[in-house]
Every structure is written in C-alpha cells, then in structure tokens.
Amino acid sequence: TSLHVPKPARGLFLRPVPWWELWWPVAAIALAFALLWWVLRRRRRRVVAVARPPVDVFVRAMHDFERLHRLALIDVGERGRAVALAVEVLRTYLAARIPAAVLSLTSAELAQAVHDDRRVPHDRLATLLFDADQIKFAHESITTAHAGKLQQDARALVESVEAADQAQRQAQREAAREAEARR
C-alpha cells in the first residue's frame, strides 16, 4: 500500500447567525414585561370604575318593569316575550329577597320553595307562573289584554312581596326596640 496518511478532518462550515436570532429572546422578554405593565395599569383603572353603591332589589325590579313597559313589546306583537321578561324580573326579585327561591328552579319548584314564606301570595304566584309556562313552553297564544294583565300581575306581586317584607322588617325592628327597652 502507499503508506499515505490522510489529512485531519476539517471543521464544519459555520453558518452565519442572523442578528434577529440572537436578539429574539431579549425582545420576547421585553414584550412580556410591556404586556404585564399594560394589564396591571388597565386593571387598576377598572377597579376604580367598578366601585358603585349597590342598588336596592326592589328599586331595580321597578326600574326593569319600567324599561319593559317602555319597550312596548305587547304593542309590537311580542306578547309572549313581554310576559316572559316580566316573570323573569319577578323571579330575580324573589331570588334576591328569599334565599330558597334560586333562579335555577323550575316554576313548580319555585312555588314549592316559597310555599312556607308568608310574604308571598302563593295562589297568585302559582297562577302567574303556570300561565307564563304555558306561553313560554306550550306556545299558547295570548291576547294583548291578557299579556298586559300578566305583566301587571308580575309587578303587583313584586310590590306585594316588598310591602310584606317592609312590614316584617318593621315588626322585627320594633321587637328589637322592645327587647332593648326591657333590659
């Protein structure tokens, strides 16, 4: 054989590294800090804007009934929707005033849940909920006058429960005063 000794192996070709491949981690970190600063700044503004005094449940219900009246859904042929929204305002009010009257209950479960509460006129509530269910789920046709009456019944129920609630609170305050006076 020729006794030829090969040359040592050469190094690999060095690939030139573009500048953006060297600086992208630094840019990503800078972007993350900028995003964090923006989120914290925005959150600080939102917390200040959210601080409002709570609205009384009865005032809110009356406001919602007024809005529903101004929408005039009954006059434009949306009688079923008007009744459904009025009952929804009633259910929201009851859920706020009576702990057992959770919004997720069906109408029958709601009537059963408030059955022991003396503030609620049970017969009127059961009739209203039954009529509303017939309109919402059985697609029962309804006249304009009947829709207006159901809407007024929902409002009257809220007013009745509120009056009974106020009377109950007043009686509790007087009982507390008497107990305080006896001591």
Side-chain angles (χ1 to χ4, degrees), residues 1-22:
T1 93
S2 74
L3 299 174
H4 178 38
V5 178
K7 291 183 184 178
R10 290 185 184 179
L12 295 175
F13 290 111
L14 294 177
R15 183 178 71 89
V17 179
W19 65 270
W20 61 85
E21 286 186 12
L22 294 175

Side-chain angles (χ1 to χ4, degrees), residues 14 31 40 58 70 73 81 103 111 125 142 147 166 168:
L14 294 177
L31 182 65
L40 291 176
F58 179 70
R70 283 193 310 262
L73 292 174
R81 182 170 288 163
L103 283 175
L125 178 65
I142 183 172
Q166 293 297 331
Q168 183 180 16

Side-chain angles (χ1 to χ4, degrees), residues 41-176:
R41 192 175 121 223
R42 191 163 175 218
R43 182 176 175 208
R44 204 174 301 138
R45 285 183 188 170
R46 186 176 34 200
V47 169
V48 172
V50 172
R52 293 183 189 146
V55 178
D56 182 46
V57 180
F58 179 70
V59 172
R60 178 66 185 195
M62 289 298 112
H63 174 72
D64 289 345
F65 279 124
E66 288 301 318
R67 283 181 53 204
L68 187 58
H69 179 70
R70 283 193 310 262
L71 283 175
L73 292 174
I74 295 174
D75 299 334
V76 296
E78 293 285 342
R79 296 177 291 271
R81 182 170 288 163
V83 171
L85 289 173
V87 169
E88 187 63 29
V89 171
L90 168 68
R91 289 176 66 102
T92 304
Y93 172 79
L94 288 176
R97 283 286 187 240
I98 303 169
V102 182
L103 283 175
S104 61
L105 297 176
T106 64
S107 295
E109 292 170 341
L110 176 65
Q112 185 64 31
V114 299
H115 185 68
D116 296 333
D117 198 329
R118 294 181 185 170
R119 298 173 289 179
V120 180
H122 306 292
D123 295 335
R124 290 172 47 197
L125 178 65
T127 303
L128 177 66
L129 291 176
F130 178 77
D131 289 346
D133 283 350
Q134 292 298 313
I135 294 165
K136 289 191 299 188
F137 302 120
H139 300 289
E140 183 179 288
S141 61
I142 183 172
T143 63
T144 303
H146 188 59
K149 181 185 177 304
L150 290 176
Q151 207 172 9
Q152 290 172 351
D153 286 348
R155 184 180 184 133
L157 270 169
V158 168
E159 291 170 346
S160 172
V161 171
E162 181 66 20
D165 188 57
Q166 293 297 331
Q168 183 180 16
R169 288 182 189 176
Q170 184 63 30
Q172 288 173 349
R173 279 188 229 121
E174 289 176 7

